[in-house]
Amino acid sequence: MRTQYLFDRQTVLVLSILAAAAILVPAMNGLVPPGSALHLSDHLVPLLGKYVCLALLALSVDLIWGFCGILSLGHGAFFALGGYAMGMYLMRQIGPRGAYADPILPDFMVFLNWKELPWFWHGFDWFPFAALMVLLVPGALALVFGWFAFRSRVTGVYFSIITQAMTFALMLAFFRNDMGLGGNNGLTDFKEVLGFPVQAGSTRVVLFVLSVLVLAGGYLLCRWVVGSTFGKVLVAVRDAESRTRFLGYRVEHYKLAVFTLSAMLAGVAGALYVPQVGIINPSEFAPANSIEVVIWVAVGGRGTLAGAILGALLVNAGKTWFTAALPEFWLFALGGLFVFVTLFMPRGILGAAGDLWERSSRRLRTRRSPQPFTQAAE
Amino acid sequence: MTAPVTPTLLYLENVTVSFDGFRALNALSLVIDHAEMRAIIGPNGAGKTTMMDVITGKTQPNEGTALFEGTHDLTALDETAIAELGIGRKFQTPTVFEMHTVEDNLLLALKNKRGPLATLFSRQANQERERIDALLERVRLTAQRHRRAGELSHGQKQWLEIGMLLAQEPKLLLIDEPAAGMTDQETADTADLLRDIAKSKAVIVVEHDMTFVRDLGVKVTCLHEGSVLAEGSLDAVSANERVVEVYLGR
Amino acid sequence: MIVLRKFLRAFLLLLGMASAALAGPYEEALPRFTSDSYADTDAAIGAVAASGNPLAVDVIEALRDGRLLVGSGQVFIRRASGDLINAATGQAWGNPAGELKPVRLNNRVRRAIEAALGSLTLLNPDAAKRLEAARAVFRSRDEAALPALEKAIAQESHVPVRNALETARAAILLSKQDAPPTQKLTAVQTLRDRSDQEALALLSNLPAHAPPEVVAAAGKAADGIRARLAFWQAFQNVWYGISLGSVLLLAAIGLAITFGTMSVINMAHGEMVMLGAYTTFMVQELIRSYFPGLFGASLLIALPLAFLVAGSVGVLLERTVIRFLYGRPLETLLATWGISLILQQGVRTIFGPTNREVGTPAWMSGALDVGAMSLTYNRIAIVVFAFSVFAILLLVLRYTSLGLYVRAVTQNRRMAGSMGIRTSRVDALAFGLGSGVAGIAGVALSQIDNVSPNLGQGYIIDSFMVVVFGGVGNLWGTLVGAMTLGIANKLLEPYAGAVLGKIALLIAIIVFIQRRPRGLFALKGRVVEA
């Protein structure tokens, strides 16, 4: 089928670019001698790795917003929860190398005069358990939250507002020392991940490559989901929710399934992010962060998956450049981007490019593939 | 579930719906038999759409009984469950999945397993393809198969929606103003199609267009202020003094 | 006048300190200030205060303010004007010989000063001064003040002052080791009648030497006070709740208009509040520089200006951005969020990232005591103001043609449009109205919150919670929502703490919205469904 062919085309492109990144970045960092114009300095590797994790987060937002019309303004919460799960593992790996040299308790607990490890910290010294929690904690929150919300048909902006309240409440909670997760300072001063020193250049290259592979995997997973009949039902829900209901689909089950899947993807993104930036703290829950993710997706082109990746990379690269060169103007630029994209580029870069493509190919064909996108969403 | 109370397909008794004191349905009673086609007429605000909402589970009545096949209490079920029982609904304004192709619209409507896992791992079988081919033929959209539904004309969308209803293989079809916005020829064709459908399924048609209702040639129920004003053949109903009064405002 | 008052004060003091000799103690005490020893200074304060000399108050006040100078064995007072007078004689001393140094203070000396001033001013003709003095004595619990206190009580006719004096006496008696138990019991009685936090603290921290019957009576009295305080505390919490609710109401009511009429999620609403607060700041800056006399009216002047500033920005926003996004609420949300970032950064660029000082006019400072509650005037002003804004808005929506149009558009946009209402104009005006009201809220919030570029951010989530909880398109819902959330928040706080209380409330609202997705006072019917 023609639709299948198109999917392959985009997928192949995305995968080739990701593969190139996974090969070129280690090569330019490790093989090209420093001083060469093509050399990638050590500090850029974790920065690029960070972008890749944020792209995965954007992908997870696009999956629900672009294809099911669910605008979550709290996806940063799932990202942060995945990050905390990984952070807890990394904290336990510090062992007696902390400032207080306690073999079990992380520094902040010693500082707070705690005598034993809180119950929910047990098991995190074992990587497979921590990895499982990276998926399960965000997934469980999404499942419970979504079950309540979708069952009572909270939709549109109402859903957006309560997701925002959710991440805000979590932020307040994580700021508390009593929460047992480092309070204000969060979790940091990591030493090792799976026995490799976190700060070492080689570890960072490996983490980068791993992030790229996971992003590629996430992309393929999303592609497969939206290409299936399940994905068609999602688009149906996005465009005509009650019609879908009257056709006999349990809309809330679909929303719940995709929301939970998306939260898990966001959690994985957070887990990969933490060892590369070296810290996770409650500010990751800030509502502003979650809204920013949405604009990455909008810039790249919502409902295209590849656009989410593109948007996340572009906006974050822009952010890095601005905050170094013109820090005063970054918020103007970001704010302007929000306005510009919603007003003039509602379908984002890929959407606009797709329009051009379609216009030129229209002369040749009358048949068209489904464009998983609408301008009106609720 | 209680034992079958009635042998009829759809049984509404004393159904009342009020919004903030306004009674959209007032002790409405209606009975539809298996494979019966019924036309519902009535001025604006007579409660036609609200009645459909009650039957399809969109609105919960304040009181009254709504039974399907004598055993299923429609007031206790939601839209999805009622759709699964075999009640299909076409909206007043045609509602199709505009971003999907005509083929995908029908595919989504086909009577299949509706669960997320089932759809995630489903593969299109030849059998489904044949069913879709037949449906496309029936609603005359074979040539439009790969077009996006959003690009269809108004009349084509109406037909596509009816096609989707058929794909669901329901026992009862609720059809809200199928002739609205159609040309005369299309209207006549639609009447033919509905008559054809009614050979095997029960159909409730809500319509303003009296020519169309006459074309259908079925029993007519006239609603007014949320209850049944008159019932019978179109001629008998239009001769009814109270109906004339309601329509002409005397 | 001043001379007369001084004379009178000296006279009364003389009466009060009958034992004090006319010549001697004062002059004898003064040189002890020069020895640069805290113990001597302390003793000198007591002696000077007890001396009854007309200069005693001046000396001790000067000491408190660091204006008591010593040099070459003599003591001088520096007047506020800078003139020096000889503390011993009261004569002007134009030409100081040698270097003069202020007498040094430590906390013990400061306490002694407070106690001494307290007992010295107990007989001041000004009732407010006497009250202050009585409170100072109460806090110091200086046994030496007891005779002066007795004397003052005997003369006092002003009831609040008399009460304060008696409380002070009771406090001293309770801590005085050799006071007879009967006196101590009376003191317990007095404190029980006073029945506030300070009395409770006194009664529950009796000195170890207190006789058992006094301890028992004090324990009973303390329980009584605790019960009374708990009772009033509940009211106080409700008041705090109403006060917080008013703040929420102010912040949310403009949002209720824009969200209710146009279903527009204006994420920049908080920034409208911020603009109002900065307008207040600008108005006060101008007044300070050019019309200092008008400062008391600065907030009143700021109100219309804030409405205009925020309202114009709102109309501009509606005309240039939002109107292109109607029917796309999620996109509107994103675009207005972008605008909020721009406005924040704009204000940060112009005014700097730090908090700006917005003054409180004199008439808004102070507090009203009701029972054991203390209602500060600025909170009262905000509550009154919030309800007035609500009432005015209600009247505007009810009785003006704009209100009629807005209600029409809220209920059925298409119908209103086909009846000839220019919905796009109504939208712009309603958006301006909502933003203007947010600006007005900013004037009020500038009184209780930090005026910084982030001011608005702190309110946006709460405001949405209020509007969504109360039900969209219904001002009464917003009122009930704001008050419920405000009071619930403050009632939860004592049990759960501020942060957990807030989290609990957020969760409660999230659950509530899921129970009733359309809020407390939802519009019902087909129109909403469509």
Side-chain angles (χ1 to χ4, degrees):
Chain A
M1 264 168 70
R2 183 175 150 67
T3 54
Q4 217 56 54
Y5 170 70
L6 250 192
F7 283 165
D8 281 347
R9 194 188 165 87
Q10 198 195 64
T11 307
V12 166
L13 194 66
V14 168
L15 292 182
S16 326
I17 292 174
L18 289 179
I23 294 164
L24 280 180
V25 166
M28 286 166 70
N29 175 249
L31 300 179
V32 178
S36 157
L38 287 175
H39 176 72
L40 196 70
S41 65
D42 281 348
H43 77 273
L44 280 179
V45 175
L47 186 68
L48 291 177
K50 189 178 130 180
Y51 293 167
V52 172
C53 297
L54 296 177
L56 184 58
L57 173 60
L59 193 68
S60 75
V61 170
D62 194 25
L63 181 63
I64 52 169
W65 186 41
F67 294 89
C68 198
I70 302 171
L71 178 56
S72 163
L73 295 184
H75 244 51
F78 303 122
F79 179 81
L81 285 175
Y84 265 98
M86 177 56 98
M88 286 163 83
Y89 162 73
L90 294 172
M91 284 311 262
R92 295 296 308 273
Q93 294 306 298
I94 296 174
R97 282 165 294 184
Y100 293 105
D102 190 299
I104 307 279
L105 296 186
D107 279 352
F108 74 88
M109 292 188 194
V110 182
F111 182 74
L112 290 173
N113 227 350
W114 290 16
K115 293 296 169 231
E116 56 186 279
L117 209 60
W119 62 268
F120 53 86
W121 274 80
H122 289 286
F124 274 94
D125 48 339
W126 191 48
F127 183 78
F129 177 80
L132 195 64
M133 287 300 127
V134 163
L135 289 172
L136 289 190
V137 173
L141 176 65
L143 197 68
V144 172
F145 187 88
W147 187 75
F148 277 112
F150 299 134
R151 190 189 51 142
S152 36
R153 301 192 187 172
V154 178
T155 53
V157 291
Y158 288 89
F159 184 80
S160 304
I161 291 173
I162 63 167
T163 49
Q164 198 181 20
M166 174 195 80
T167 191
F168 186 63
L170 281 169
M171 181 177 76
L172 294 179
F174 274 71
F175 265 124
R176 291 160 41 85
N177 279 331
D178 301 353
M179 189 84 179
L181 289 165
N184 210 353
N185 300 323
L187 309 176
T188 187
D189 290 334
F190 309 132
K191 308 283 188 232
E192 271 180 6
V193 53
L194 290 170
F196 300 99
V198 158
Q199 301 283 346
S202 55
T203 313
R204 299 200 142 169
V205 168
V206 171
L207 281 171
F208 171 82
V209 173
L210 196 65
S211 305
V212 172
L213 293 179
V214 172
L215 177 62
Y219 174 81
L220 279 176
L221 177 69
C222 292
R223 194 87 264 177
W224 172 65
V225 166
V226 302
S228 69
T229 309
F230 178 90
K232 287 176 181 164
V233 177
L234 292 185
V235 173
V237 169
R238 180 191 73 188
D239 293 345
E241 180 168 335
S242 65
R243 171 80 274 175
T244 319
R245 242 182 248 289
F246 284 117
L247 277 187
Y249 287 97
R250 288 244 161 251
V251 168
E252 52 274 22
H253 291 182
Y254 278 83
K255 286 183 168 178
L256 193 56
V258 75
F259 189 60
T260 307
L261 174 65
S262 163
M264 288 172 150
L265 274 179
V268 171
L272 286 166
Y273 178 84
V274 166
Q276 299 187 67
V277 298
I279 184 169
I280 175 80
N281 65 28
S283 67
E284 293 296 339
F285 286 102
N289 285 10
S290 298
I291 301 184
E292 220 181 295
V293 183
V294 176
I295 207 64
W296 305 341
V297 177
V299 165
R302 118 180 219 226
T304 58
L305 294 181
I309 299 175
L310 179 70
L313 297 180
L314 282 181
V315 177
N316 280 295
K319 184 178 191 170
T320 305
W321 182 80
F322 260 105
T323 44
L326 296 164
E328 284 273 290
F329 289 91
W330 165 241
L331 283 183
F332 285 128
L334 183 65
L337 195 62
F338 271 94
V339 179
F340 178 82
V341 168
T342 44
L343 280 186
F344 302 110
M345 242 177 40
R347 304 186 45 192
I349 296 172
L350 284 200
D355 279 351
L356 281 177
W357 171 257
E358 195 157 307
R359 218 169 294 154
S360 61
S361 63
R362 185 176 303 201
R363 293 181 205 117
L364 304 169
R365 292 176 223 224
T366 47
R367 287 164 49 171
R368 229 156 299 173
S369 62
Q371 285 278 322
F373 181 81
T374 46
Q375 66 283 21
E378 200 192 347
Chain B
M1 276 302 138
T2 51
V5 181
T6 57
T8 51
L9 183 66
L10 180 71
Y11 177 83
L12 300 183
E13 190 187 358
N14 265 324
V15 174
T16 299
V17 173
S18 47
F19 299 119
D20 284 343
F22 167 75
R23 291 205 159 184
L25 287 186
N26 190 7
L28 174 81
S29 298
L30 187 75
V31 174
I32 305 287
D33 256 327
H34 294 274
E36 177 192 352
M37 173 145 68
R38 176 76 60 91
I40 310 273
I41 60 170
N44 281 328
K48 302 183 298 276
T49 303
T50 309
M51 182 194 78
M52 293 217 174
D53 286 348
V54 169
I55 297 171
T56 52
K58 191 176 173 198
T59 300
Q60 305 295 318
N62 301 68
E63 51 187 283
T65 316
L67 294 178
F68 186 65
E69 297 184 311
T71 51
H72 304 289
D73 179 5
L74 296 179
T75 62
L77 300 172
D78 68 356
E79 296 99 314
T80 312
I82 290 174
E84 279 173 352
L85 280 181
I87 298 183
R89 177 176 185 183
K90 196 197 88 59
F91 292 91
Q92 198 167 337
T93 44
T95 316
V96 293
F97 305 122
E98 310 226 328
M99 289 295 147
H100 279 312
T101 57
V102 169
E103 180 178 13
D104 281 346
N105 267 281
L106 291 174
L107 177 73
L108 287 176
L110 279 184
K111 190 178 167 85
N112 268 332
K113 286 199 171 143
R114 298 283 205 234
L117 280 177
T119 54
L120 191 57
F121 296 102
S122 77
R123 301 188 142 230
Q124 203 175 354
N126 279 338
Q127 194 192 352
E128 284 175 7
R129 250 188 129 63
E130 281 160 21
R131 275 159 71 196
I132 290 175
D133 288 343
L135 283 166
L136 284 170
E137 205 60 45
R138 194 163 185 194
V139 295
R140 302 178 192 174
L141 288 171
T142 307
Q144 323 295 336
R145 182 176 199 136
H146 295 291
R147 283 184 72 189
R148 246 192 270 169
E151 296 169 3
L152 298 180
S153 74
H154 185 81
Q156 285 174 322
K157 281 185 196 170
Q158 298 267 37
W159 278 54
L160 174 57
E161 203 178 359
I162 294 174
M164 288 164 72
L165 239 60
L166 292 173
Q168 276 179 270
E169 297 176 21
K171 296 167 187 151
L172 171 65
L173 287 81
L174 305 178
I175 301 189
D176 206 349
E177 303 201 15
M182 283 193 168
T183 61
D184 286 351
Q185 184 55 48
E186 282 171 340
T187 307
D189 290 347
T190 306
D192 285 342
L193 178 65
L194 291 182
R195 273 200 306 272
D196 188 39
I197 293 170
K199 283 176 192 159
S200 54
K201 300 171 194 305
V203 181
I204 298 180
V205 183
V206 165
E207 190 48 74
H208 278 300
D209 184 338
M210 286 305 154
T211 332
F212 180 79
V213 174
R214 189 167 299 280
D215 274 1
L216 292 178
V218 294
K219 189 172 170 186
V220 171
T221 299
C222 178
L223 294 190
H224 176 56
E225 292 185 345
S227 28
V228 176
L229 192 66
E231 214 165 67
S233 72
L234 182 60
D235 292 328
V237 168
S238 13
N240 186 313
E241 268 182 40
R242 287 172 61 211
V243 173
V244 173
E245 198 177 314
V246 164
Y247 266 93
L248 301 181
R250 262 178 287 176
Chain C
M1 224 10 233
I2 292 169
V3 177
L4 183 68
R5 189 180 291 174
K6 276 199 171 153
F7 176 74
L8 193 70
R9 180 158 63 187
F11 180 68
L12 290 172
L13 272 173
L14 282 177
L15 282 179
M17 316 290 165
S19 61
L22 272 176
Y26 178 74
E27 286 78 3
E28 276 168 27
L30 274 184
R32 304 186 75 170
F33 284 119
T34 63
S35 68
D36 198 23
S37 131
Y38 292 128
D40 276 344
T41 308
D42 194 5
I45 293 168
V48 166
S51 70
N53 189 291
L55 283 168
V57 176
D58 288 339
V59 167
I60 296 175
E61 277 180 356
L63 176 63
R64 180 190 63 193
D65 303 342
R67 293 183 288 106
L68 193 69
L69 310 175
V70 292
S72 46
Q74 283 188 300
V75 183
F76 305 94
I77 300 170
R78 194 196 333 253
R79 295 272 183 220
S81 57
D83 304 335
L84 284 181
I85 59 168
N86 188 325
T89 60
Q91 303 294 315
W93 190 268
N95 197 13
E99 197 191 350
L100 295 184
K101 284 199 294 190
V103 179
R104 295 187 305 141
L105 304 178
N106 66 1
N107 281 339
R108 179 177 148 205
V109 172
R110 283 192 195 95
R111 270 196 299 277
I113 291 173
E114 196 181 349
L117 280 178
S119 56
L120 278 174
T121 46
L122 283 175
L123 300 171
N124 194 304
D126 183 349
K129 283 259 169 65
R130 292 203 301 276
L131 192 62
E132 202 179 296
R135 290 204 171 128
V137 173
F138 172 79
R139 281 192 299 272
S140 74
R141 262 163 255 163
D142 183 359
E143 292 177 19
L146 206 50
L149 212 47
E150 299 284 3
K151 184 84 195 165
I153 290 171
Q155 295 177 359
E156 189 58 65
S157 56
H158 194 55
V159 178
V161 181
R162 195 189 162 86
N163 285 344
L165 289 169
E166 283 176 345
T167 324
R169 180 177 61 180
I172 294 173
L173 285 174
L174 274 185
S175 56
K176 190 171 173 220
Q177 190 152 14
D178 55 357
T182 46
Q183 276 190 13
K184 291 199 173 195
L185 285 176
T186 324
V188 168
Q189 188 75 25
T190 313
L191 285 175
R192 202 192 66 197
D193 292 346
R194 174 160 166 167
S195 154
D196 61 5
Q197 205 65 48
E198 279 182 328
L200 180 61
L202 263 175
L203 287 173
S204 34
N205 294 303
L206 286 185
H209 55 68
E213 69 267 34
V214 175
V215 174
K220 226 172 128 191
D223 288 343
I225 295 178
R226 268 189 212 104
R228 179 172 174 274
L229 285 181
F231 174 77
W232 282 105
Q233 189 59 43
F235 277 98
Q236 181 85 60
N237 283 339
V238 169
W239 165 252
Y240 286 145
I242 291 174
S243 159
L244 176 66
S246 304
V247 170
L248 292 176
L249 178 64
L250 276 173
I253 196 163
L255 201 65
I257 298 174
T258 50
F259 194 19
T261 33
M262 290 161 281
S263 328
V264 161
I265 298 285
N266 183 11
M267 296 295 277
H269 184 79
E271 277 58 46
M272 302 298 168
V273 176
M274 175 195 68
L275 287 181
Y278 272 92
T279 308
T280 318
F281 166 71
M282 288 296 285
V283 166
Q284 288 200 345
E285 285 297 290
L286 288 176
I287 285 181
R288 277 206 186 100
S289 319
Y290 300 106
F291 319 98
L294 284 176
F295 193 76
S298 61
L299 296 186
L300 295 181
I301 299 171
L303 281 180
L305 288 174
F307 183 87
L308 280 180
V309 169
S312 328
V313 173
V315 171
L316 193 70
L317 192 61
E318 202 279 337
R319 287 287 86 185
T320 54
V321 177
I322 291 170
R323 84 184 154 118
F324 301 107
L325 297 171
Y326 283 127
R328 294 156 63 189
L330 298 180
E331 271 88 343
T332 315
L333 190 156
L334 295 177
T336 50
W337 173 261
I339 288 161
S340 87
L341 293 182
I342 294 173
L343 287 174
Q344 273 174 46
Q345 187 60 36
V347 167
R348 199 173 287 128
T349 307
I350 298 171
F351 294 96
T354 50
N355 293 345
R356 286 310 186 142
E357 167 76 24
V358 170
T360 305
W363 55 270
M364 272 177 74
S365 46
L368 181 69
D369 288 320
V370 179
M373 292 200 294
S374 169
L375 316 180
T376 54
Y377 284 122
N378 65 349
R379 288 283 173 172
I380 295 177
I382 285 178
V383 171
V384 171
F385 181 68
F387 279 89
S388 318
V389 169
F390 177 77
I392 292 170
L393 220 47
L394 214 55
L395 292 178
V396 165
L397 288 180
R398 190 104 203 86
Y399 293 110
T400 64
S401 51
L402 172 67
L404 180 67
Y405 295 159
V406 166
R407 278 183 293 140
V409 173
T410 308
Q411 282 166 24
N412 194 335
R413 169 171 298 269
R414 217 177 313 158
M415 190 63 198
S418 38
M419 290 187 61
I421 297 174
R422 286 157 68 186
T423 53
S424 72
R425 221 177 116 161
V426 172
D427 287 339
L429 289 177
F431 206 83
L433 181 66
S435 304
V437 171
I440 288 184
V443 178
L445 298 187
S446 73
Q447 293 299 307
I448 54 164
D449 204 343
N450 296 328
V451 178
S452 78
N454 303 327
L455 171 77
Q457 291 261 290
Y459 290 99
I460 191 73
I461 289 185
D462 286 340
S463 310
F464 274 121
M465 291 291 126
V466 166
V467 173
V468 168
F469 178 65
V472 176
N474 187 326
L475 281 192
W476 286 102
T478 310
L479 176 71
V480 175
M483 289 302 151
T484 313
L485 296 191
I487 293 172
N489 201 340
K490 288 298 173 185
L491 291 184
L492 274 176
E493 245 173 48
Y495 304 103
V499 177
L500 272 189
K502 177 130 191 146
I503 297 171
L505 211 57
L506 281 173
I507 294 174
I509 296 172
I510 291 174
V511 172
F512 174 84
I513 293 176
Q514 291 165 353
R515 303 288 307 171
R516 297 192 63 163
R518 300 270 166 196
L520 214 49
F521 293 84
L523 293 173
K524 284 181 208 144
R526 283 172 64 168
V527 184
V528 181
E529 309 266 317

